[in-house]
Amino acid sequence: MSSHGIPRTTAATEQSRQQELAAIERYQELTALVHEKVSERDFSSASLDLTAELVSKNPEYYTIWNYRRLILLQLFDHDPDIGNSNDLGTAKSVSPRQKNVENLITSDLQFEVPLLRKYPKCYWLWNHRDWLLRQAQNRLPKAFALQLWGGELILVGKMLTLDSRNFHGWGYRRKVVAKVEELQGTSMAEAEFEYTTKVIRTNLSNFSAWHYRSKLIPRILADRKADDAARQKLLDDEFKIIQRGLWTDPYDQSLWGYHQFLVKTVVFSSEQESFIPNLSNGERLTLLEREIRNTDEMLEGAEDCKWIYQALLQYSEMYLELDTGNKTFTTQDMRSWLDQLKKLDTLRVGRWNDLEKKLNI
């Protein structure tokens, strides 16, 4: 709106200021009131409502989340007068107290959903959901707890659709999956591996998805009872996937992190944590030579990409630990890669000087 063509900016600004002052005043009053309830050790439903209003305004207020949990613990142990309740057909399966717990937990989980959408990276929101679900697991029959944990998997899937790189969501997903597996007694590794594939196809630049994938690979191989040939095939397939990604965007650090994981799997294949056992030294050298050559070829058109030079030096160092008489690269190659790295990454020049001394080049 304007008057005679002149915007009412002053009036609008003053109105916004008054609204902000009123919101601040209400927040201060609410904070004082909740702290008064804490001092009085008031664990009533009315106090629960007050904490809901306060954490809705400031979800980072972890002290109030702690107080909210104390209230819920008191309400969980309360014996409600529940009449003829047939919600979800569970009245015959749980006691009135358990039904009360189920209602309180479900209500609190639903209360948090709008907050999670608004503050998806607030640690205390995710932490409180985890606490609620663990209470359900301890206080409710297994089938009810499993239903709630399964609902969380759907929720976190939707949250990661909104922001696929929310590491809070990824950490919470791993926790939820572990609980669902525990309760239902079956592995979800294959399904989760497929989930990471779907996410990566949508957006290659996702540290959390690549990291989760690296943790799932040993599990799915164990579930499949894979022999050495099957393990080798999976390794080759993973190298193909990450190579396509690196050729698409060699400047993406998350891709190099996964590529490094695969290379280390090859080099340290004799160690317990490797999912590719029984590789001979010659087989390891052959695979390492291939990856060094492929990485070196990426420099064409990406001469200013520090990640390529860093990978070449790291893989060359690994190679020399396996075989000092290599013909894949020369000392001059390593010197050239290191010089370029110093130019491109001046903030870590001390690190590269230390590497130069270590490699004696």
Side-chain angles (χ1 to χ4, degrees):
M1 298 290 292
S2 63
S3 179
H4 305 290
I6 301 175
R8 296 177 180 175
T9 54
T10 303
T13 302
E14 180 60 25
Q15 183 180 12
S16 299
R17 180 174 177 276
Q18 291 302 320
Q19 291 174 346
E20 184 177 350
L21 288 174
I24 292 173
E25 183 178 358
R26 173 54 186 162
Y27 177 77
Q28 292 174 335
E29 290 174 352
L30 185 60
T31 301
L33 179 57
V34 171
H35 278 277
E36 182 180 331
K37 297 296 183 181
V38 173
S39 299
E40 295 172 354
R41 299 184 64 79
D42 185 329
F43 301 123
S44 65
S45 296
S47 294
L48 188 70
D49 293 339
L50 288 174
T51 64
E53 184 180 356
L54 185 51
V55 295
S56 294
K57 296 178 183 297
N58 180 9
E60 296 285 354
Y61 206 157
Y62 64 87
T63 302
I64 306 305
W65 285 113
N66 290 337
Y67 177 42
R68 187 174 181 84
R69 287 192 279 274
L70 289 175
I71 297 173
L72 285 169
L73 287 174
Q74 293 293 321
L75 295 178
F76 287 161
D77 293 332
H78 176 65
D79 285 320
D81 182 16
I82 296 180
N84 185 24
S85 173
N86 291 308
D87 293 356
L88 302 177
T90 61
K92 296 181 180 180
S93 306
V94 296
S95 67
R97 177 176 290 190
Q98 287 177 319
K99 185 61 184 175
N100 177 54
V101 170
E102 181 190 357
N103 290 338
L104 286 167
I105 290 175
T106 301
S107 176
D108 228 38
L109 289 171
Q110 292 172 347
F111 157 70
E112 271 204 344
V113 172
L115 294 178
L116 268 180
R117 291 178 64 90
K118 190 175 182 180
Y119 308 102
K121 296 184 179 179
C122 176
Y123 169 81
W124 303 107
L125 291 172
W126 296 106
N127 182 63
H128 188 67
R129 297 189 78 80
D130 177 51
W131 181 84
L132 287 169
L133 290 160
R134 284 188 284 110
Q135 290 298 315
Q137 189 172 348
N138 293 335
R139 295 171 180 270
L140 297 176
K142 183 178 179 180
F144 291 83
L146 179 58
Q147 183 179 3
L148 290 174
W149 280 107
E152 283 301 281
L153 191 57
I154 296 172
L155 172 72
V156 76
K158 292 179 179 178
M159 294 299 297
L160 289 175
T161 298
L162 294 173
D163 180 5
S164 65
R165 295 191 290 183
N166 181 352
F167 69 89
H168 293 280
W170 280 101
Y172 189 67
R173 184 183 183 91
R174 292 193 295 272
K175 187 176 294 185
V176 170
V177 167
K179 284 297 181 182
V180 172
E181 288 178 324
E182 176 186 333
L183 289 169
Q184 67 184 12
T186 57
S187 172
M188 296 178 61
E190 290 281 1
E192 289 298 283
F193 190 71
E194 288 303 314
Y195 178 77
T196 65
T197 302
K198 182 178 72 172
V199 172
I200 289 164
R201 284 174 178 168
T202 303
N203 184 359
L204 284 170
S205 184
N206 194 318
F207 276 100
S208 297
W210 290 114
H211 172 73
Y212 192 20
R213 195 175 182 85
S214 72
K215 299 299 181 184
L216 288 167
I217 286 176
R219 291 189 56 200
I220 64 173
L221 289 171
D223 290 346
R224 296 172 184 175
K225 296 181 172 55
D227 57 16
D228 288 350
R231 291 170 179 271
Q232 183 65 54
K233 183 181 183 305
L234 183 82
L235 178 67
D236 292 340
D237 290 344
E238 291 301 293
F239 267 122
K240 289 176 183 176
I241 292 172
I242 199 64
Q243 284 288 350
R244 286 197 295 269
L246 288 171
W247 278 103
T248 301
D249 185 5
Y251 298 88
D252 189 336
Q253 185 183 3
S254 67
L255 302 178
W256 288 108
Y258 191 69
H259 189 256
Q260 181 185 88
F261 157 73
L262 293 176
V263 170
K264 284 186 174 180
T265 296
V266 171
V267 174
F268 305 112
S269 63
S270 60
E271 297 186 7
Q272 185 176 0
E273 62 269 20
S274 175
F275 63 84
I276 306 293
N278 304 322
L279 285 181
S280 67
N281 199 58
E283 289 172 323
R284 287 186 285 170
L285 287 170
T286 299
L287 284 167
L288 196 49
E289 287 170 1
R290 182 191 70 190
E291 293 310 307
I292 291 174
R293 284 195 302 271
N294 290 340
T295 304
D296 189 38
E297 290 174 3
M298 291 179 196
L299 283 173
E300 186 174 354
E303 293 84 359
D304 62 341
C305 179
K306 76 163 192 171
W307 302 111
I308 298 178
Y309 297 108
Q310 187 170 332
L312 285 168
L313 285 167
Q314 185 175 23
Y315 301 160
S316 298
E317 185 178 3
M318 292 178 184
Y319 189 99
L320 292 174
E321 291 179 3
L322 295 175
D323 183 9
T324 56
N326 87 91
K327 297 181 181 179
T328 305
F329 54 88
T330 65
T331 302
Q332 185 58 41
D333 290 330
M334 297 179 69
R335 161 59 65 184
S336 174
W337 298 334
L338 187 57
D339 288 343
Q340 289 298 319
L341 195 53
K342 288 180 180 180
K343 293 176 184 178
L344 294 170
D345 193 11
T346 55
L347 291 177
R348 296 169 184 79
V349 66
R351 175 184 175 183
W352 309 130
N353 286 334
D354 287 342
L355 180 60
E356 181 179 11
K357 293 176 183 177
K358 179 182 178 182
L359 297 176
N360 193 25
I361 57 175

